[in-house]
Amino acid sequence: MKSRLRERILFVICFVILFIVMVQANQKNRIYYLFNNNTGKLYRYYHLMPGEKYSGSIVDADSLIVYSRLILDADIPAAYSYQFSTGNFEDIVTRKISPSSSSRGVSGSKVSAWNSYKYFPMPEDKKFNIINDSDRELLVKVTLPDQKTYRKKTEFIAYPPDRAADSIQLLNKDNDYTYYLADKDGISMQLEGPLLLKVISRLIVKDVEFLSYSWAAYLDEEEILTVDAAAPYSKTCLADSSSIVTRGKVNILKVPAGIHTIKIMDLEPDEIIYRFYLNKTAIGNK
């Protein structure tokens, strides 16, 4: 009898541990990357569906700041809210919405500009909870003192496409870089995700008064990103040792798990050149 009781207790303990591990693993996997057009950097947020909760620890912190954004669709609400609580404190945080002009999801999704909420913990506070009580997808990031940044550094290495119309050498301060040109069939490559594809684009300048251009990216023939870029001409770069080019503009595409075809197409004009990079941790993934 005692043996069966011990087995049941052991089973319950194992189930609870497995449940906690699954919850923690799910929470770790719910990272949502945002790309900032102005800085060219990636930013990490936690992705909360309606009703979902994110929990964290408060360890000897004088204050903490919650940064929040909303993933936007065609119907943009005026405001959103979430619940912030500790063991002895609870607050409903409501923030107004304005679309971000510089940040987007790496999958191309539109997001709101960031809002912040600051909390000063009491000595007995050990943990905090954030519950998304809105009907939209919420992005949150929590920073504590001594955390100098909430950016995550991602290393990239150059990657040549499987197909391009032509290539061109770009000279930048005595260093050569290979860029690629598209034709009516575009530039294409087959990649196995999950991974991040960094695209640096420039325009070969024919007329210094027209330094804007646009291009589109396709994942398995479905358009996932349209880029309208404008940049001043570069004072340090020359294409084929003679042609003036604009400064490089960076965009990052998220390639999901599995084998996919990526295609880059010029929209206007057709003097756009591209260079590609893959995140280093994706190389060799199976």
Side-chain angles (χ1 to χ4, degrees):
M1 189 71 179
K2 290 183 178 180
S3 176
R4 290 183 179 179
L5 181 59
R6 282 197 297 269
E7 288 178 359
R8 291 180 180 177
I9 294 174
L10 182 61
F11 173 81
V12 171
I13 293 174
C14 290
F15 177 81
V16 171
I17 293 175
L18 179 61
F19 177 79
I20 293 174
V21 169
M22 289 176 66
V23 170
Q24 290 178 340
N26 179 61
Q27 199 172 73
K28 289 179 180 178
N29 290 334
R30 296 297 297 278
I31 299 296
Y32 197 95
Y33 287 97
L34 295 184
F35 173 74
N36 186 287
N37 294 318
N38 294 333
T39 64
K41 297 180 183 294
L42 291 175
Y43 297 78
R44 286 175 34 150
Y45 281 76
Y46 283 98
H47 182 196
L48 299 181
M49 298 296 289
E52 283 191 329
K53 179 174 71 173
Y54 170 69
S55 300
S57 299
I58 305 173
V59 181
D60 298 327
D62 294 327
S63 64
L64 60 82
I65 301 175
V66 180
Y67 295 93
S68 62
R69 299 174 183 260
L70 214 62
I71 298 177
L72 303 179
D73 52 27
D75 180 23
I76 301 177
Y80 65 95
S81 65
Y82 60 88
Q83 178 182 302
F84 178 89
S85 64
T86 64
N88 49 27
F89 174 83
E90 183 176 309
D91 192 11
I92 300 298
V93 182
T94 301
R95 293 291 182 263
K96 294 181 179 180
I97 291 176
S98 61
S100 175
S101 60
S102 59
S103 296
R104 60 169 176 79
V106 293
S107 59
S109 59
K110 295 181 180 180
V111 297
S112 65
W114 62 267
N115 289 301
S116 64
Y117 169 78
K118 194 168 188 178
Y119 174 69
F120 297 93
M122 289 176 264
E124 59 270 26
D125 286 337
K126 302 300 180 185
K127 292 185 178 182
F128 66 87
N129 295 309
I130 297 172
I131 298 177
N132 179 13
D133 58 7
S134 72
D135 59 354
R136 304 298 180 101
E137 296 176 62
L138 180 70
L139 303 177
V140 296
K141 178 71 180 179
V142 180
T143 62
L144 299 169
D146 300 325
Q147 290 184 332
K148 296 181 180 179
T149 178
Y150 57 99
R151 297 192 297 264
K152 179 178 175 62
K153 183 179 179 181
T154 303
E155 294 185 83
F156 290 86
I157 62 173
Y159 184 83
D162 298 324
R163 183 202 176 279
D166 202 355
S167 63
I168 190 170
Q169 294 302 119
L170 188 79
L171 180 65
N172 184 3
K173 297 180 180 178
D174 297 325
N175 294 316
D176 282 323
Y177 299 91
T178 302
Y179 277 70
Y180 301 92
L181 293 89
D183 55 16
K184 62 181 181 63
D185 295 318
I187 298 173
S188 61
M189 62 196 83
Q190 190 175 73
L191 299 172
E192 182 173 1
L195 56 81
L196 301 175
L197 175 66
K198 178 191 285 187
V199 183
I200 299 180
S201 61
R202 300 173 184 264
L203 180 68
I204 297 178
V205 178
K206 301 296 185 181
D207 188 332
V208 293
E209 293 184 4
F210 297 95
L211 301 179
S212 61
Y213 59 94
S214 58
W215 56 273
Y218 296 81
L219 175 69
D220 300 329
E221 303 300 327
E222 181 180 349
E223 185 175 325
I224 58 172
L225 178 66
T226 300
V227 175
D228 293 305
Y233 70 87
S234 173
K235 296 181 180 180
T236 60
C237 296
L238 290 174
D240 275 353
S241 302
S242 59
S243 298
I244 298 174
V245 297
T246 60
R247 294 179 187 174
K249 283 285 188 177
V250 177
N251 280 272
I252 293 181
L253 307 178
K254 183 178 182 180
V255 180
I259 298 175
H260 302 277
T261 298
I262 305 296
K263 184 177 287 187
I264 305 296
M265 300 287 292
D266 293 347
L267 296 180
E268 186 181 18
D270 56 5
E271 288 91 11
I272 308 171
I273 58 176
Y274 306 88
R275 184 169 170 85
F276 305 97
Y277 295 83
L278 298 183
N279 60 307
K280 204 168 185 178
T281 55
I283 304 301
N285 281 359
K286 296 182 179 179

Short mmCIF file of all heavy atoms in Angstrom, two decimals, residues 40-82:
data_model
loop_
_atom_site.label_atom_id
_atom_site.label_comp_id
_atom_site.label_asym_id
_atom_site.label_seq_id
_atom_site.Cartn_x
_atom_site.Cartn_y
_atom_site.Cartn_z
N GLY A 40 19.20 49.60 -37.79
CA GLY A 40 19.63 48.35 -38.41
C GLY A 40 19.83 47.23 -37.41
O GLY A 40 20.52 46.25 -37.69
N LYS A 41 19.22 47.34 -36.23
CA LYS A 41 19.41 46.36 -35.17
C LYS A 41 18.13 45.57 -34.89
O LYS A 41 17.03 46.03 -35.21
CB LYS A 41 19.89 47.04 -33.88
CG LYS A 41 21.25 47.73 -34.02
CD LYS A 41 21.65 48.37 -32.71
CE LYS A 41 22.97 49.13 -32.86
NZ LYS A 41 24.10 48.22 -33.13
N LEU A 42 18.32 44.40 -34.27
CA LEU A 42 17.20 43.57 -33.83
C LEU A 42 16.92 43.81 -32.36
O LEU A 42 17.85 43.99 -31.56
CB LEU A 42 17.53 42.08 -34.04
CG LEU A 42 17.62 41.58 -35.47
CD1 LEU A 42 18.06 40.12 -35.48
CD2 LEU A 42 16.29 41.73 -36.18
N TYR A 43 15.64 43.78 -32.00
CA TYR A 43 15.23 43.94 -30.62
C TYR A 43 14.33 42.78 -30.22
O TYR A 43 13.48 42.35 -31.01
CB TYR A 43 14.47 45.27 -30.43
CG TYR A 43 15.31 46.49 -30.71
CD1 TYR A 43 15.57 46.90 -32.01
CD2 TYR A 43 15.87 47.22 -29.67
CE1 TYR A 43 16.35 48.02 -32.27
CE2 TYR A 43 16.65 48.35 -29.92
CZ TYR A 43 16.89 48.72 -31.22
OH TYR A 43 17.67 49.82 -31.48
N ARG A 44 14.52 42.27 -29.01
CA ARG A 44 13.78 41.10 -28.54
C ARG A 44 12.61 41.50 -27.64
O ARG A 44 12.79 42.27 -26.70
CB ARG A 44 14.69 40.16 -27.75
CG ARG A 44 15.65 39.38 -28.59
CD ARG A 44 16.61 38.56 -27.75
NE ARG A 44 16.02 38.06 -26.53
CZ ARG A 44 16.39 36.93 -25.94
NH1 ARG A 44 17.33 36.20 -26.46
NH2 ARG A 44 15.84 36.54 -24.82
N TYR A 45 11.45 40.95 -27.94
CA TYR A 45 10.26 41.12 -27.09
C TYR A 45 9.66 39.74 -26.82
O TYR A 45 9.92 38.79 -27.55
CB TYR A 45 9.22 42.00 -27.79
CG TYR A 45 9.48 43.48 -27.74
CD1 TYR A 45 10.46 44.06 -28.54
CD2 TYR A 45 8.76 44.31 -26.90
CE1 TYR A 45 10.70 45.42 -28.50
CE2 TYR A 45 8.99 45.68 -26.85
CZ TYR A 45 9.97 46.23 -27.66
OH TYR A 45 10.20 47.57 -27.61
N TYR A 46 8.84 39.66 -25.77
CA TYR A 46 8.03 38.47 -25.54
C TYR A 46 6.67 38.67 -26.21
O TYR A 46 6.09 39.74 -26.12
CB TYR A 46 7.86 38.19 -24.05
CG TYR A 46 9.08 37.58 -23.42
CD1 TYR A 46 9.99 38.36 -22.73
CD2 TYR A 46 9.35 36.22 -23.54
CE1 TYR A 46 11.13 37.81 -22.16
CE2 TYR A 46 10.47 35.66 -22.98
CZ TYR A 46 11.37 36.45 -22.29
OH TYR A 46 12.49 35.91 -21.76
N HIS A 47 6.19 37.61 -26.83
CA HIS A 47 4.95 37.65 -27.61
C HIS A 47 3.84 37.03 -26.78
O HIS A 47 3.88 35.84 -26.44
CB HIS A 47 5.17 36.88 -28.92
CG HIS A 47 3.98 36.89 -29.83
ND1 HIS A 47 3.84 36.02 -30.87
CD2 HIS A 47 2.87 37.68 -29.84
CE1 HIS A 47 2.71 36.26 -31.50
NE2 HIS A 47 2.10 37.27 -30.89
N LEU A 48 2.82 37.82 -26.44
CA LEU A 48 1.71 37.32 -25.63
C LEU A 48 0.41 37.40 -26.42
O LEU A 48 0.01 38.48 -26.88
CB LEU A 48 1.56 38.15 -24.35
CG LEU A 48 2.74 38.17 -23.38
CD1 LEU A 48 2.40 39.02 -22.16
CD2 LEU A 48 3.13 36.77 -22.96
N MET A 49 -0.24 36.26 -26.57
CA MET A 49 -1.56 36.23 -27.17
C MET A 49 -2.57 36.71 -26.14
O MET A 49 -2.27 36.79 -24.94
CB MET A 49 -1.89 34.81 -27.62
CG MET A 49 -0.95 34.25 -28.68
SD MET A 49 -1.05 35.17 -30.23
CE MET A 49 -2.67 34.65 -30.80
N PRO A 50 -3.80 37.08 -26.55
CA PRO A 50 -4.81 37.51 -25.58
C PRO A 50 -4.99 36.49 -24.46
O PRO A 50 -5.13 35.29 -24.71
CB PRO A 50 -6.07 37.63 -26.43
CG PRO A 50 -5.57 37.96 -27.80
CD PRO A 50 -4.29 37.18 -27.94
N GLY A 51 -4.94 36.96 -23.22
CA GLY A 51 -5.11 36.09 -22.07
C GLY A 51 -3.84 35.45 -21.57
O GLY A 51 -3.82 34.86 -20.48
N GLU A 52 -2.74 35.52 -22.31
CA GLU A 52 -1.50 34.88 -21.90
C GLU A 52 -0.77 35.71 -20.86
O GLU A 52 -0.92 36.93 -20.79
CB GLU A 52 -0.60 34.62 -23.10
CG GLU A 52 -1.03 33.43 -23.94
CD GLU A 52 0.01 33.04 -24.95
OE1 GLU A 52 0.76 33.92 -25.42
OE2 GLU A 52 0.08 31.86 -25.30
N LYS A 53 0.08 35.01 -20.07
CA LYS A 53 0.80 35.64 -18.97
C LYS A 53 2.31 35.47 -19.14
O LYS A 53 2.78 34.44 -19.60
CB LYS A 53 0.37 35.03 -17.64
CG LYS A 53 1.09 35.61 -16.42
CD LYS A 53 0.52 35.08 -15.12
CE LYS A 53 0.85 33.63 -14.89
NZ LYS A 53 0.42 33.16 -13.55
N TYR A 54 3.04 36.50 -18.78
CA TYR A 54 4.50 36.43 -18.70
C TYR A 54 4.90 36.73 -17.26
O TYR A 54 4.44 37.69 -16.66
CB TYR A 54 5.15 37.43 -19.65
CG TYR A 54 6.64 37.56 -19.44
CD1 TYR A 54 7.50 36.53 -19.78
CD2 TYR A 54 7.18 38.72 -18.88
CE1 TYR A 54 8.86 36.64 -19.56
CE2 TYR A 54 8.54 38.84 -18.66
CZ TYR A 54 9.38 37.79 -19.02
OH TYR A 54 10.72 37.89 -18.79
N SER A 55 5.79 35.90 -16.71
CA SER A 55 6.24 36.07 -15.33
C SER A 55 7.74 36.27 -15.29
O SER A 55 8.48 35.73 -16.12
CB SER A 55 5.86 34.85 -14.48
OG SER A 55 4.47 34.65 -14.47
N GLY A 56 8.20 37.04 -14.32
CA GLY A 56 9.63 37.27 -14.15
C GLY A 56 9.96 37.51 -12.69
O GLY A 56 9.08 37.68 -11.85
N SER A 57 11.26 37.52 -12.39
CA SER A 57 11.73 37.69 -11.02
C SER A 57 12.22 39.11 -10.79
O SER A 57 12.72 39.76 -11.70
CB SER A 57 12.87 36.70 -10.72
OG SER A 57 12.42 35.36 -10.85
N ILE A 58 12.06 39.56 -9.55
CA ILE A 58 12.58 40.86 -9.13
C ILE A 58 13.66 40.58 -8.09
O ILE A 58 13.37 40.14 -6.99
CB ILE A 58 11.49 41.74 -8.51
CG1 ILE A 58 10.31 41.90 -9.48
CG2 ILE A 58 12.04 43.11 -8.13
CD1 ILE A 58 9.12 42.63 -8.88
N VAL A 59 14.90 40.82 -8.44
CA VAL A 59 16.01 40.52 -7.54
C VAL A 59 16.78 41.80 -7.25
O VAL A 59 17.50 42.32 -8.11
CB VAL A 59 16.96 39.46 -8.16
CG1 VAL A 59 18.09 39.15 -7.19
CG2 VAL A 59 16.19 38.20 -8.51
N ASP A 60 16.63 42.32 -6.03
CA ASP A 60 17.36 43.51 -5.58
C ASP A 60 17.28 44.65 -6.60
O ASP A 60 18.28 45.29 -6.93
CB ASP A 60 18.82 43.17 -5.31
CG ASP A 60 18.97 42.15 -4.19
OD1 ASP A 60 18.14 42.18 -3.27
OD2 ASP A 60 19.89 41.31 -4.25
N ALA A 61 16.09 44.89 -7.11
CA ALA A 61 15.91 45.95 -8.11
C ALA A 61 15.20 47.14 -7.49
O ALA A 61 14.22 46.99 -6.76
CB ALA A 61 15.11 45.42 -9.29
N ASP A 62 15.71 48.33 -7.76
CA ASP A 62 15.06 49.55 -7.28
C ASP A 62 13.85 49.90 -8.14
O ASP A 62 12.93 50.56 -7.67
CB ASP A 62 16.05 50.71 -7.30
CG ASP A 62 17.18 50.52 -6.30
OD1 ASP A 62 16.93 49.91 -5.25
OD2 ASP A 62 18.29 50.98 -6.59
N SER A 63 13.88 49.48 -9.40
CA SER A 63 12.78 49.77 -10.30
C SER A 63 12.84 48.81 -11.48
O SER A 63 13.86 48.14 -11.70
CB SER A 63 12.86 51.22 -10.81
OG SER A 63 14.04 51.41 -11.57
N LEU A 64 11.76 48.72 -12.21
CA LEU A 64 11.75 47.98 -13.47
C LEU A 64 10.86 48.73 -14.46
O LEU A 64 9.95 49.46 -14.07
CB LEU A 64 11.29 46.53 -13.29
CG LEU A 64 9.90 46.22 -12.73
CD1 LEU A 64 8.84 46.31 -13.82
CD2 LEU A 64 9.88 44.82 -12.14
N ILE A 65 11.15 48.54 -15.73
CA ILE A 65 10.41 49.22 -16.79
C ILE A 65 9.86 48.18 -17.74
O ILE A 65 10.59 47.29 -18.19
CB ILE A 65 11.29 50.21 -17.57
CG1 ILE A 65 11.87 51.27 -16.62
CG2 ILE A 65 10.49 50.90 -18.67
CD1 ILE A 65 12.85 52.21 -17.30
N VAL A 66 8.57 48.27 -18.03
CA VAL A 66 7.93 47.40 -19.00
C VAL A 66 7.76 48.19 -20.30
O VAL A 66 7.09 49.22 -20.32
CB VAL A 66 6.55 46.91 -18.51
CG1 VAL A 66 5.91 46.01 -19.57
CG2 VAL A 66 6.68 46.17 -17.18
N TYR A 67 8.39 47.71 -21.37
CA TYR A 67 8.18 48.28 -22.70
C TYR A 67 7.14 47.42 -23.41
O TYR A 67 7.24 46.19 -23.39
CB TYR A 67 9.47 48.31 -23.50
CG TYR A 67 10.52 49.24 -22.93
CD1 TYR A 67 11.49 48.77 -22.05
CD2 TYR A 67 10.53 50.58 -23.27
CE1 TYR A 67 12.45 49.61 -21.53
CE2 TYR A 67 11.49 51.44 -22.74
CZ TYR A 67 12.44 50.94 -21.88
OH TYR A 67 13.39 51.79 -21.35
N SER A 68 6.17 48.05 -24.04
CA SER A 68 5.11 47.29 -24.68
C SER A 68 4.78 47.86 -26.05
O SER A 68 4.93 49.05 -26.30
CB SER A 68 3.85 47.27 -23.81
OG SER A 68 3.34 48.58 -23.63
N ARG A 69 4.34 46.97 -26.93
CA ARG A 69 3.87 47.33 -28.26
C ARG A 69 2.72 46.40 -28.61
O ARG A 69 2.55 45.35 -27.99
CB ARG A 69 4.96 47.15 -29.32
CG ARG A 69 6.22 47.98 -29.15
CD ARG A 69 7.23 47.57 -30.19
NE ARG A 69 8.51 48.23 -30.10
CZ ARG A 69 8.91 49.26 -30.84
NH1 ARG A 69 8.06 49.76 -31.74
NH2 ARG A 69 10.11 49.78 -30.72
N LEU A 70 2.00 46.75 -29.65
CA LEU A 70 0.92 45.91 -30.15
C LEU A 70 1.24 45.53 -31.59
O LEU A 70 1.76 46.35 -32.35
CB LEU A 70 -0.41 46.67 -30.10
CG LEU A 70 -1.68 45.84 -29.81
CD1 LEU A 70 -1.59 45.21 -28.45
CD2 LEU A 70 -2.91 46.72 -29.91
N ILE A 71 0.96 44.29 -31.97
CA ILE A 71 1.04 43.89 -33.36
C ILE A 71 -0.21 44.40 -34.06
O ILE A 71 -1.33 44.13 -33.60
CB ILE A 71 1.17 42.37 -33.51
CG1 ILE A 71 2.47 41.88 -32.84
CG2 ILE A 71 1.15 41.95 -34.98
CD1 ILE A 71 2.65 40.39 -32.88
N LEU A 72 -0.05 45.14 -35.14
CA LEU A 72 -1.17 45.84 -35.77
C LEU A 72 -1.66 45.11 -37.01
O LEU A 72 -0.89 44.46 -37.72
CB LEU A 72 -0.75 47.26 -36.16
CG LEU A 72 -0.22 48.15 -35.03
CD1 LEU A 72 0.17 49.51 -35.57
CD2 LEU A 72 -1.26 48.30 -33.92
N ASP A 73 -2.96 45.23 -37.24
CA ASP A 73 -3.54 44.78 -38.50
C ASP A 73 -4.24 45.98 -39.13
O ASP A 73 -3.98 47.13 -38.77
CB ASP A 73 -4.50 43.60 -38.30
CG ASP A 73 -5.54 43.88 -37.22
OD1 ASP A 73 -5.86 45.08 -37.02
OD2 ASP A 73 -6.04 42.94 -36.61
N ALA A 74 -5.14 45.73 -40.07
CA ALA A 74 -5.79 46.84 -40.78
C ALA A 74 -6.64 47.70 -39.84
O ALA A 74 -6.75 48.91 -40.01
CB ALA A 74 -6.65 46.29 -41.92
N ASP A 75 -7.24 47.07 -38.83
CA ASP A 75 -8.08 47.78 -37.87
C ASP A 75 -7.25 48.15 -36.65
O ASP A 75 -7.00 47.31 -35.79
CB ASP A 75 -9.27 46.89 -37.48
CG ASP A 75 -10.19 47.58 -36.48
OD1 ASP A 75 -10.16 48.82 -36.43
OD2 ASP A 75 -10.91 46.87 -35.75
N ILE A 76 -6.80 49.39 -36.57
CA ILE A 76 -5.93 49.82 -35.49
C ILE A 76 -6.75 50.43 -34.37
O ILE A 76 -7.42 51.46 -34.58
CB ILE A 76 -4.89 50.84 -36.00
CG1 ILE A 76 -4.05 50.22 -37.11
CG2 ILE A 76 -4.00 51.31 -34.85
CD1 ILE A 76 -3.05 51.18 -37.72
N PRO A 77 -6.75 49.84 -33.17
CA PRO A 77 -7.52 50.42 -32.07
C PRO A 77 -6.86 51.68 -31.54
O PRO A 77 -5.71 51.98 -31.86
CB PRO A 77 -7.49 49.30 -31.01
CG PRO A 77 -6.24 48.55 -31.31
CD PRO A 77 -6.05 48.61 -32.80
N ALA A 78 -7.59 52.42 -30.73
CA ALA A 78 -7.07 53.68 -30.19
C ALA A 78 -6.13 53.43 -29.02
O ALA A 78 -5.23 54.23 -28.75
CB ALA A 78 -8.22 54.58 -29.75
N ALA A 79 -6.34 52.31 -28.30
CA ALA A 79 -5.54 52.04 -27.11
C ALA A 79 -5.53 50.54 -26.83
O ALA A 79 -6.28 49.76 -27.44
CB ALA A 79 -6.09 52.80 -25.90
N TYR A 80 -4.68 50.13 -25.92
CA TYR A 80 -4.63 48.74 -25.46
C TYR A 80 -4.29 48.74 -23.98
O TYR A 80 -3.89 49.77 -23.41
CB TYR A 80 -3.58 47.93 -26.24
CG TYR A 80 -2.15 48.38 -26.03
CD1 TYR A 80 -1.33 47.77 -25.07
CD2 TYR A 80 -1.61 49.42 -26.79
CE1 TYR A 80 -0.03 48.19 -24.88
CE2 TYR A 80 -0.30 49.83 -26.60
CZ TYR A 80 0.50 49.22 -25.64
OH TYR A 80 1.79 49.63 -25.45
N SER A 81 -4.46 47.60 -23.34
CA SER A 81 -4.17 47.52 -21.91
C SER A 81 -3.61 46.15 -21.56
O SER A 81 -3.79 45.17 -22.29
CB SER A 81 -5.43 47.80 -21.08
OG SER A 81 -6.40 46.79 -21.30
N TYR A 82 -2.90 46.10 -20.43
CA TYR A 82 -2.45 44.83 -19.87
C TYR A 82 -2.42 44.96 -18.35
O TYR A 82 -2.43 46.08 -17.81
CB TYR A 82 -1.07 44.44 -20.42
CG TYR A 82 0.05 45.41 -20.14
CD1 TYR A 82 0.79 45.34 -18.97
CD2 TYR A 82 0.37 46.41 -21.06
CE1 TYR A 82 1.83 46.24 -18.72
CE2 TYR A 82 1.39 47.31 -20.83
CZ TYR A 82 2.12 47.22 -19.65
OH TYR A 82 3.14 48.11 -19.40
#
